[in-house]
Amino acid sequence: MSGDDSRLSTTALARALDIPLQQLFATLRDYGWIERRDEHWLLTPKGEYEGGCYRDSKRYGRYIVWPEALVQHPLLSAIESNQRISASQMRRYYPGLQPRHLNRALAEFGLQQSTILGWELTALGKHFGGQQVQSESSGAFYVSWPHEIVDHPVIQRELERLTARQAVTAAAEPAGPVERTVSGHDSTDLFASAGPIAAPMVECRGIDGHHPGTCLQAAVCDWLYFAQQAHALKRALPVEEELYADFYLPAGRVYIDCWEDGAPAAQLAAWLRNKEVYASLDLRHLEIKAGDAEYLDEVLGRGLLAFGIRC
């Protein structure tokens, strides 16, 4: 090669080959050119033989670069970029997840749903490029996805979070034991502070163990729990922006936001942005106002019934 400037990062190489980045990483790994170690991609002797080397950057740290001529390499130029993949085949890019985890994750996010026929595509799934397919052997329904979905920021974010949770083997231990007196209380001197005694804070905690931010959210959380509706708290919306709904019901793919009185401008702006996303993606959603707290049976009951959810 004429110089280091003519080398391509793996991202640039994927762009030159017109294939998804995650597909290229998986291919290079399968060829034995790179390996994953401690959350980093490292060159193997075979990768070094093909011309790979490292480049250091203040912004990106250390990363692998390749000769520009690899664009013409027969093993890479033969990669098909227009093929479609199923959730089971996505395991190649997320080896820590089983096919059932991937299918359930896509369903929880509203891209597909489980029925007696199999996995059926939803309207949001179509937005992500999904297509309904029927197995020729079993007749079961499943969804195929464009290969580029493995590079979609929203899909990457959700599946990487799921991978991280699967990898956790034990919860963190407390920093140390709390010293107790014979009465069972900690040994902190309650009278050590010369300041006034602060009034106890009202803890808005759901009966299911969730810790919502407000008492209105706690009331909604309890209502959903007693209605036996599985729900997530502070669920990310299916967009690249960091937007979160207060609650999400995966069974009906319904998002719920609690509009509090006297909320700061930033929170109000976030709620309004959520509404725009719900409208643009045609997502099911409900808004609970502060005045609805005493009428949740009517507001939530009727609202969810409109989406086919009986409580």
Side-chain angles (χ1 to χ4, degrees), residues 117 126 144-145 191 241 261:
L117 299 177
K126 290 181 181 179
S144 73
W145 306 96
F191 302 97
E241 298 176 66
D261 285 341

Side-chain angles (χ1 to χ4, degrees), residues 147-167:
H147 220 136
E148 291 75 12
I149 197 171
V150 297
D151 279 345
H152 195 289
V154 174
I155 300 301
Q156 276 191 326
R157 178 188 69 200
E158 296 303 315
L159 294 185
E160 285 175 0
R161 285 177 179 174
L162 182 58
T163 299
R165 287 196 295 269
Q166 292 292 328

Side-chain angles (χ1 to χ4, degrees), residues 65-128:
V65 293
W66 305 94
E68 192 173 10
L70 278 187
V71 175
Q72 305 300 325
H73 196 292
L75 289 178
L76 300 184
S77 60
I79 300 175
E80 296 182 5
S81 62
N82 59 350
Q83 61 179 323
R84 300 182 66 83
I85 59 175
S86 65
S88 297
Q89 292 167 327
M90 290 173 66
R91 187 168 183 251
R92 178 187 182 192
Y93 310 103
Y94 298 94
L97 301 177
Q98 297 295 325
R100 67 177 182 277
H101 293 143
L102 291 162
N103 269 311
R104 289 173 180 174
L106 294 173
E108 190 274 338
F109 212 49
L111 305 188
Q112 60 183 22
Q113 59 185 347
S114 178
T115 70
I116 59 173
L117 299 177
W119 294 105
E120 293 194 45
L121 185 66
T122 64
L124 183 60
K126 290 181 181 179
H127 178 80
F128 278 76

Side-chain angles (χ1 to χ4, degrees), residues 48-69:
E48 293 177 349
Y49 175 80
E50 296 292 345
C53 63
Y54 294 103
R55 176 179 292 172
D56 293 312
S57 166
K58 291 183 179 180
R59 181 177 181 183
Y60 301 108
R62 197 182 197 199
Y63 61 96
I64 300 172
V65 293
W66 305 94
E68 192 173 10

Side-chain angles (χ1 to χ4, degrees), residues 9 38 49 67 83 87 89 93 130 133 148 177 204 239 267 269 274 295 308:
S9 67
D38 296 331
Y49 175 80
Q83 61 179 323
Q89 292 167 327
Y93 310 103
V133 183
E148 291 75 12
C204 298
V239 292
Q267 181 60 65
N274 280 9
Y295 310 100

Side-chain angles (χ1 to χ4, degrees), residues 1 5-29 31 33-34 43 46-47 50-53 55 63-81 151:
M1 301 301 297
D5 290 342
S6 62
R7 292 180 176 271
L8 302 175
S9 67
T10 308
T11 301
L13 181 59
R15 191 179 304 117
L17 292 168
D18 194 24
I19 60 175
L21 176 60
Q22 295 301 320
Q23 183 181 3
L24 179 57
F25 271 123
T27 300
L28 296 176
R29 180 197 62 202
Y31 287 164
W33 294 11
I34 60 175
L43 281 167
K46 188 179 292 186
E50 296 292 345
C53 63
R55 176 179 292 172
Y63 61 96
I64 300 172
V65 293
W66 305 94
E68 192 173 10
L70 278 187
V71 175
Q72 305 300 325
H73 196 292
L75 289 178
L76 300 184
S77 60
I79 300 175
E80 296 182 5
S81 62
D151 279 345

Side-chain angles (χ1 to χ4, degrees), residues 105-269:
L106 294 173
E108 190 274 338
F109 212 49
L111 305 188
Q112 60 183 22
Q113 59 185 347
S114 178
T115 70
I116 59 173
L117 299 177
W119 294 105
E120 293 194 45
L121 185 66
T122 64
L124 183 60
K126 290 181 181 179
H127 178 80
F128 278 76
Q131 293 181 2
Q132 190 70 70
V133 183
Q134 186 173 14
S135 171
E136 295 182 359
S137 58
S138 66
F141 281 20
Y142 68 95
V143 178
S144 73
W145 306 96
H147 220 136
E148 291 75 12
I149 197 171
V150 297
D151 279 345
H152 195 289
V154 174
I155 300 301
Q156 276 191 326
R157 178 188 69 200
E158 296 303 315
L159 294 185
E160 285 175 0
R161 285 177 179 174
L162 182 58
T163 299
R165 287 196 295 269
Q166 292 292 328
V168 173
T169 57
E173 293 292 332
V178 178
E179 184 180 351
R180 301 284 178 178
T181 64
V182 292
S183 63
H185 300 291
D186 63 58
S187 59
T188 303
D189 186 354
L190 298 179
F191 302 97
S193 173
I197 299 176
M201 294 182 62
V202 177
E203 182 182 17
C204 298
R205 179 176 180 176
I207 196 171
D208 58 0
H210 282 157
H211 288 268
T214 69
C215 289
L216 176 59
Q217 292 175 5
V220 172
C221 187
D222 287 347
W223 192 95
L224 294 172
Y225 174 79
F226 285 118
Q228 299 183 8
Q229 294 297 320
H231 56 280
L233 181 68
K234 298 300 180 186
R235 189 65 174 93
L237 271 57
V239 292
E240 296 182 39
E241 298 176 66
E242 289 193 9
L243 298 174
Y244 299 87
D246 290 331
F247 298 96
Y248 176 63
L249 279 62
R253 303 187 303 281
V254 180
Y255 295 88
I256 300 176
D257 283 326
C258 298
W259 289 56
E260 309 280 351
D261 285 341
Q267 181 60 65
L268 181 60

